[in-house]
């Protein structure tokens, strides 16, 4: 029987001085206990009880190169020796900004910050200032960080969908106590992947709407791909009606392709946000966009602030991550994709063999595994029918088998995973699904 006693002991001790016992609320959900990590390298992570896991949580996404990647560590170490952060400009900022403007199709310029939440805040501010309009369209089931201006209850069915601007169904529930309801007054919530809904809203109300923000793949609720033509339609409509199109590529950036989903799908938004994989595990996020929007920062129209923005360490981490992902013609991303394909294919086969109804939705090295009585999950309503409790049990049993997966069902594959890891993971899933069936 796997022991988690040391994690349990530390959690109890932390609960007296660390609010909730964890550093980010979501982490409290892990069963049987939120694990305490001792160390991690490559695709493996070890907890304080001496258990070792193949890691598909990957720190909720950032560890795209795997843990403790030697190239990344060496570059961060070298940067630290020159000073961790300066509060002055330095060549690292210039170098990373240049590389990103070459890599990201929509980015004539970039601006740096520390988290995906901050990048989204800046992108929304830029869109409002650029258009002189105030309302923002966002979609059911998408997540754009936890700032008051966009955080809705998530990913729950009690998010109300806006019928029309100012209409009766227009109230959106805040995501948390302490968040002013008025902070969401400017948000319009629509179902995603529904061309008619966005077209009729934008045609009626574009005079009030500054931006449409979307995850290009709905990674946060079921890894649902855009329907053929949907992102193209968003692009066409927003361009025609003077609305800024923002791709939130905090998950898809440096993952679906080096240039993100916009490169993979060939659709260029006006603004984009990146975070997670951008710093390979160091706090770093960015907004990229068209020059005429980004220049609002340069001319002082839009404030962009942050004490630690552009730190020497973060810039070195971003540059090293790009170098590693670009090495040998992008071999790492191609391998991640191949391994993810064999993992998702293997999981689908196992579901069939065990007679368990489930869906594995994936695109590139990020996918969602869920137990759901449906042949496919292509929208938020279908995603809401999944059996979360059963999946949490699956995740808990996988831990006992030496595989760490997020209790919600989202998996990441890193550049450090190997074919042996995938084979071991599928063998573990086989045993666990046999128990569940
Ligand atoms: C699509 C998306 N946008 C924004 C965020 C917020 O990023 P952070 O947690 O770094 O603030 C997340 C985090 O999961 C995300 O998935």
């Amino acid at each position: 029987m796997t022991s988690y006693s040391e994690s349990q002991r530390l959690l109890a001790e932390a609960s007296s001085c660390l609010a909730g016992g964890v550093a980010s609320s979501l982490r409290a959900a892990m069963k049987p206990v939120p694990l305490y990590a001792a160390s991690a390298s490559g695709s493996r992570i070890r907890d304080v009880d001496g258990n070792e896991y193949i890691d598909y949580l990957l720190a909720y996404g950032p560890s795209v190169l795997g843990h403790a990647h030697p190239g990344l560590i060496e570059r961060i170490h070298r940067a630290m020796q020159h000073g961790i952060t300066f509060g002055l400009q330095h060549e690292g900022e210039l170098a990373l900004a240049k590389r990103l403007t070459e890599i990201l199709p929509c980015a004539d310029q970039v601006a740096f910050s520390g988290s995906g939440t901050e990048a989204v805040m800046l992108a929304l501010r830029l869109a409002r200032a650029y258009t002189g309009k105030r309302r923002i369209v966002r979609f059911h089931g998408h997540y754009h960080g936890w700032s008051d201006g966009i955080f809705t209850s998530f990913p729950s069915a009690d998010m109300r969908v806006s019928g029309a601007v100012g209409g009766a169904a227009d109230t959106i529930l805040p995501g948390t106590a302490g968040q002013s309801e008025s902070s969401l007054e400017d948000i319009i919530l629509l179902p995603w992947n529904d061309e008619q809904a966005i077209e009729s809203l934008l045609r009626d109300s574009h005079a009030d709407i500054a931006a449409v923000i979307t995850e290009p793949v709905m990674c946060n609720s079921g890894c649902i791909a855009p329907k053929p033509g949907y992102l193209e339609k968003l692009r066409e409509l927003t361009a025609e009606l003077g609305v800024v199109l923002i791709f939130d590529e905090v998950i898809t950036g440096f993952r679906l392709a080096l240039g993100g989903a916009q490169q993979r799908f060939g659709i260029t938004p006006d603004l984009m946000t990146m975070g997670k994989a951008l710093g390979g595990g160091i706090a770093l996020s960015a907004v990229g966009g068209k020059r005429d929007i980004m220049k609002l920062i340069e001319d002082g129209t839009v404030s962009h602030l942050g004490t630690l923005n552009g730190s020497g360490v973060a810039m070195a981490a971003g540059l090293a991550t790009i170098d590693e992902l670009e090495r040998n013609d992008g071999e790492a991303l191609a391998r991640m994709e191949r391994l993810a394909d064999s993992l998702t294919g293997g999981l689908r086969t196992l579901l069939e063999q065990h007679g368990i109804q489930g869906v594995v939705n994936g695109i590139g090295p990020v996918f969602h595994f869920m137990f759901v009585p449906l042949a496919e999950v292509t929208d938020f309503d279908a995603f809401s029918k999944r059996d979360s409790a059963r999946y949490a049990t699956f995740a808990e049993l996988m831990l006992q088998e030496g595989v760490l997966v997020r209790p919600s069902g989202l998996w990441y594959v890193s550049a450090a995973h190997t074919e042996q890891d995938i084979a071991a993971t599928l063998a573990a899933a086989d045993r666990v699904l046999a128990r569940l069936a």
Side-chain angles (χ1 to χ4, degrees), residues 103-105 249 252-265:
I103 289 167
L104 304 169
E249 299 233 34
T252 50
F254 283 9
R255 199 166 256 115
L256 261 53
L258 197 60
Q262 57 193 278
Q263 180 189 342
R264 187 162 178 139
F265 297 136

Side-chain angles (χ1 to χ4, degrees), residues 36-47:
Y36 269 69
S39 66
S41 60
S43 60
R44 305 287 165 135
I45 190 161
R46 285 159 289 279
D47 69 16

Side-chain angles (χ1 to χ4, degrees), residues 60 114-118 120 142-146 215 219-220 248-252 273 275-276 285 406 412:
Y60 291 81
S115 67
T117 297
E118 284 176 276
V120 168
H142 293 214
Y143 176 65
H144 302 294
W146 61 292
E215 291 183 58
C219 292
N220 275 293
D248 182 346
E249 299 233 34
V250 167
I251 291 182
T252 50
T273 54
K276 295 197 191 270
S285 64
R406 190 171 154 176
Y412 292 105

Side-chain angles (χ1 to χ4, degrees), residues 218-225 360-362 367-368 370 377 383 410:
M218 188 157 75
C219 292
N220 275 293
S221 294
C223 258
I224 295 171
V360 188
N361 266 350
F367 65 89
H368 202 117
M370 62 199 110
V377 170
F383 176 66
L410 192 67

Side-chain angles (χ1 to χ4, degrees), residues 12-31:
E13 191 179 334
S15 300
S16 68
C17 51
L18 178 65
V22 293
S24 174
S25 301
L26 217 54
R27 296 180 201 166
M30 188 175 285
K31 299 273 184 272

